Amino acid sequence: MLCAIYKSARKAQTYLFVNKRDDFSSVPEGLMKTFGTPNLVTLINLATKDKLAMADLEKVKKNLVEKGFYLQLPPPQEDLLKEHKAAMVASKEQGEL
């Protein structure tokens, strides 16, 4: 299963997988407007892959078959302040402070 992967010109770490190079006919118009001008990153054969770096391989394949595209969004950013506050509350509850 060959697919083309494009990087978003507008959204950092956002990638669009499509079945055919430069064929965005199955991608909703609103998504294409938000995504911006697609920049080709690579062409890959998913049949020869065991895993992908930032996406679930089976989910990508399923979306390509059912929808004709797969959108890979960036991982959520860590909220270190929230984690620190939670740790402080836990410490306080345990009487460590």
Side-chain angles (χ1 to χ4, degrees), residues 57-68:
L57 180 62
E58 293 308 314
K59 190 173 181 179
V60 171
K61 288 179 181 179
K62 181 180 178 185
N63 275 265
L64 286 171
V65 170
E66 292 178 1
K67 297 180 181 179

Side-chain angles (χ1 to χ4, degrees), residues 18-66:
V18 293
N19 287 314
K20 296 178 184 174
R21 183 177 182 166
D22 298 332
D23 180 6
F24 304 102
S25 59
S26 59
V27 182
E29 185 178 328
L31 174 57
M32 287 305 299
K33 285 181 182 178
T34 303
F35 192 80
T37 303
N39 298 312
L40 182 65
V41 175
T42 190
L43 300 169
I44 63 170
N45 185 350
L46 295 176
T48 63
K49 300 289 181 186
D50 293 329
K51 63 180 182 173
L52 297 172
M54 300 293 291
D56 181 288
L57 180 62
E58 293 308 314
K59 190 173 181 179
V60 171
K61 288 179 181 179
K62 181 180 178 185
N63 275 265
L64 286 171
V65 170
E66 292 178 1

